[in-house]
Amino acid sequence: MMPLEEAQARVNRDLAMLETTDVAVADALGMVLAETVVADEAIPPFANTAMDGFAVRAADTIGATKASPVSLPVVGTIAAGSVADRPLEAGEAMRIMTGAPVPPGSDAIIMVELTRPNGFDVDLLAEVPVGNHVRPAGDDIQKGTEILHPGTVIGPGHLGVLASLGRMTITVYRRPRVGVMSTGDELVEGDQPLKPGQIRDSNRVMLLALVAEAGLTPVDLGMVPDNEDAIEAGLRSGAATCDAVLTSGGVSMGDFDYVKAVLTRLGDFSWMQVAIKPAKPLVFGLLDGVPVFGLPGNPVSSMVSFELFARAGLRRMMGRLDAERPRVKAIADEPLLRHRDGKTHFTRVNVQRNDEGVWRARSSGGQGSHQLMAMATANGLAVVPNGSGIEAGDAVEVILLG
Ligand code: AMP
Ligand code: MG
């Protein structure tokens, strides 16, 4: 059997980052920036008020209190989106709304709550310092600063910053299109009644979802029977339209495991027996230059195999620096026992951080590679090294899922 790290290295050897591309900012959510974004405008673009109130000169408010207000004539109103029609003179006030430009001649805003209307005047009930509630131009972003760097995963806030600067497009790494194909004569689609020996295809929807959840573009390549020509045709059309292809099934020792046979015939593919449980068999290589992962058919195995071999590498193809799932050290709340078989076991667990910040892990259920329920309800894979397992109270490393 091949050590896990060696199999992972074999896969990663053939995965390369995709090219960069310009996308509309509106389509860039979750993509990885490939340029340095320099602000070519200041944000905010002009000094404006943070409060509804009155633009004044701070010096004119000196001595104002509730008991003895300072009264100033109100000489105008400035709404957000408009500008004052003349500068503010000493001894004057202008009504001003949040976001409106502070008029020339004013150096402070007094919030409306600290004022009282008084005919055509306004009574100021407090002193305010110079700069009060004024948001200077460039207070958020100064013109000419480098604000976003390559490797940034574009999130909603970044989109807002780019929009505020009027950026329409940015350069990002292309997001891989990842095709997913199920193989097996026993598979049927959807809710049709099962004939004897048939089961419904569950791997495809799961792998498509894992691809989407990883921030990649899923492409449904459908189901293919256990037939070499059909498998080859499916793989070739997948490779022609995708940046990577995932298949499930047909890579073990069975008489009809043709995926392995087809792939090893078509290119420089490695058929690996990895020292892990679940997900021992894996076929990997390039077909017409496109990485193809022949994942095992058992549903849990296909998911674990995706986690261990495909997910991080596919994310790196789109420039993700945070490609790997986070790992934590947890304390087993119950024994996670196993037998010595030369493999690392990835036990499906539920982990939770307690009030002291300590992660605690317990099995999420039946650990057979066909027992999808324990995978569906797990939020972690415990890395249980070869041996007799983990005793209650002992530490175990856990890969956090989702
Ligand atoms: P295989 O690797 O093709 O021998 O499949 C191993 C096991 O996984 C068998 O029990 C298959 O019926 C099952 N299996 C394979 N593909 C799927 C699938 N797409 N959905 C659900 N089970 C599957
Ligand atoms: Mg099969």
Side-chain angles (χ1 to χ4, degrees):
M1 284 185 295
M2 184 184 281
L4 174 62
E5 297 71 27
E6 193 180 327
Q8 287 170 326
R10 164 69 187 94
V11 170
N12 290 331
R13 191 181 88 200
D14 273 352
L15 298 183
M17 219 140 110
L18 296 183
E19 69 279 18
T20 63
T21 178
D22 289 353
V23 293
V25 164
D27 297 328
L29 183 65
M31 305 199 82
V32 179
L33 195 61
E35 62 166 321
T36 298
V37 175
V38 177
D40 53 12
E41 294 176 0
I43 306 293
F46 49 85
N48 68 97
T49 172
M51 289 285 172
D52 296 318
F54 291 84
V56 294
R57 294 188 180 188
D60 287 341
T61 72
I62 289 171
T65 64
K66 210 166 176 183
S68 80
V70 169
S71 199
L72 298 178
V74 180
V75 299
T77 299
I78 316 162
S82 72
V83 292
D85 50 13
R86 66 169 181 81
L88 184 95
E89 304 291 342
E92 293 179 342
M94 282 187 194
R95 190 182 298 279
I96 191 166
M97 309 305 145
T98 303
V102 175
S106 164
D107 59 14
I109 306 297
I110 180 164
M111 66 201 270
V112 72
E113 291 87 338
L114 296 178
T115 68
R116 208 162 42 206
N118 180 1
F120 293 110
D121 292 352
V122 60
D123 286 349
L124 312 184
L125 311 180
E127 269 185 39
V128 293
V130 170
N132 196 53
H133 297 317
V134 175
R135 304 189 287 209
D139 198 29
D140 186 14
I141 299 171
Q142 305 225 319
K143 183 175 171 171
T145 35
E146 294 184 359
I147 50 165
L148 299 177
H149 296 276
T152 302
V153 181
I154 300 295
H158 300 121
L159 295 179
V161 166
L162 293 164
S164 69
L165 290 169
R167 277 294 295 260
M168 299 304 286
T169 63
I170 51 168
T171 307
V172 297
Y173 293 99
R174 204 158 62 68
R175 197 197 294 270
R177 290 167 48 82
V178 181
V180 176
M181 191 174 101
S182 289
T183 72
D185 281 344
E186 72 277 35
L187 302 178
V188 298
E189 174 130 41
D191 64 353
Q192 51 179 290
L194 298 177
K195 297 198 188 100
Q198 291 185 326
I199 59 167
R200 299 196 179 88
D201 175 11
S202 55
N203 290 353
R204 196 158 35 111
V205 68
M206 291 190 314
L207 290 168
L208 288 166
L210 284 169
V211 166
E213 189 201 49
L216 313 158
T217 303
V219 178
D220 189 351
L221 300 177
M223 299 189 304
V224 173
D226 289 319
N227 167 298
E228 292 207 30
D229 292 341
I231 291 169
E232 178 171 346
L235 285 168
R236 284 205 188 276
S237 82
T241 55
C242 299
D243 300 300
V245 173
L246 309 172
T247 68
S248 70
V251 296
S252 350
M253 309 284 275
D255 286 354
F256 308 105
D257 285 340
Y258 294 131
V259 175
K260 172 187 67 183
V262 169
L263 285 175
T264 44
R265 171 162 59 74
L266 290 182
D268 178 19
F269 277 82
S270 304
W271 181 49
M272 295 167 268
Q273 298 286 86
V274 190
I276 57 173
K277 186 177 178 178
K280 182 169 76 157
L282 173 73
V283 180
F284 179 81
L286 297 179
L287 174 61
D288 304 329
V290 173
V292 177
F293 297 77
L295 308 180
N298 275 305
V300 177
S301 305
S302 71
M303 286 187 85
V304 170
S305 192
F306 176 86
E307 290 293 338
L308 297 179
F309 298 109
R311 187 177 186 276
L314 293 174
R315 280 158 66 85
R316 279 192 289 269
M317 283 172 75
M318 65 176 293
R320 292 290 291 242
L321 302 172
D322 59 337
E324 304 278 350
R325 294 273 201 195
R327 291 172 182 239
V328 297
K329 194 63 94 203
I331 301 299
D333 260 345
E334 60 183 10
L336 301 174
L337 299 183
R338 48 159 294 173
H339 295 295
R340 183 177 288 278
D341 57 6
K343 302 177 192 168
T344 303
H345 288 202
F346 290 87
T347 305
R348 278 71 74 200
V349 294
N350 289 119
V351 283
Q352 217 180 332
R353 210 187 337 212
N354 68 13
D355 293 342
E356 287 89 56
V358 179
W359 289 93
R360 315 285 308 196
R362 50 176 60 237
S363 164
S364 63
Q367 295 291 324
S369 61
H370 60 295
Q371 290 177 304
L372 191 50
M373 271 314 296
M375 184 76 196
T377 57
N379 64 349
L381 293 175
V383 185
V384 182
N386 189 32
S388 56
I390 309 284
E391 299 295 342
D394 283 353
V396 62
E397 186 179 23
V398 177
I399 302 169
L400 297 183
L401 305 172

